[in-house]
Amino acid sequence: MLTNEKVLDIFRDYLEEDQATEIVQTRHGLAVMLWDTAGEDWSNVKCCPTPEALFEELLDSFISYQEFLVVQNSSKVKCKLSNEEQAQIQAMCLPYLEKRKEAEKT
């Protein structure tokens, strides 16, 4: 069965790397919050009332973070990722999806 604790464990490596993403316990469930350094405020807050919602939000956050890294590390100005870059990021999601399947079995 998927639990919030299992989801947080699945994404532990990502959450340690992405210092802009915070997970906060609220009365309504866990909230995934994105810190905007330039604006010095939270730019995005999503309430995740279930472990499944938390997983989906963290997977989306992971994808956005990887896209940010590609653009940030690019030597040229980009507005859009190439198909190859998008495919690489999707492939990076596979271990998280596999870990979810394992967590759902136990």
Side-chain angles (χ1 to χ4, degrees):
M1 182 171 123
L2 198 61
T3 64
N4 286 335
E5 292 77 19
K6 287 180 182 180
V7 173
L8 292 174
D9 191 49
I10 290 169
F11 286 98
R12 182 179 314 278
D13 60 335
Y14 157 63
L15 292 170
E16 288 174 1
E17 182 179 336
D18 181 0
Q19 296 297 299
T21 300
E22 296 276 345
I23 310 299
V24 178
Q25 179 67 53
T26 72
R27 292 180 196 187
H28 307 286
L30 292 176
V32 179
M33 304 170 69
L34 180 64
W35 181 253
D36 176 8
T37 304
E40 296 185 350
D41 199 0
W42 300 107
S43 65
N44 189 19
V45 178
K46 297 284 183 164
C47 183
C48 301
T50 66
E52 292 77 16
L54 179 62
F55 182 91
E56 293 304 322
E57 186 59 34
L58 287 175
L59 189 62
D60 288 346
S61 293
F62 172 78
I63 291 168
S64 295
Y65 179 67
Q66 295 305 318
E67 290 171 347
F68 166 77
L69 291 177
V70 169
V71 170
Q72 183 183 37
N73 295 330
S74 177
S75 59
K76 51 187 170 181
V77 177
K78 293 183 148 194
C79 293
K80 188 176 178 184
L81 288 119
S82 70
N83 289 340
E84 180 181 322
E85 291 166 330
Q86 289 175 346
Q88 288 173 344
I89 291 170
Q90 289 301 314
M92 293 170 73
C93 293
L94 294 176
Y96 295 109
L97 296 168
E98 288 298 318
K99 288 178 185 179
R100 177 182 177 161
K101 285 181 189 176
E102 288 299 315
E104 288 174 331
K105 290 178 184 177
T106 59

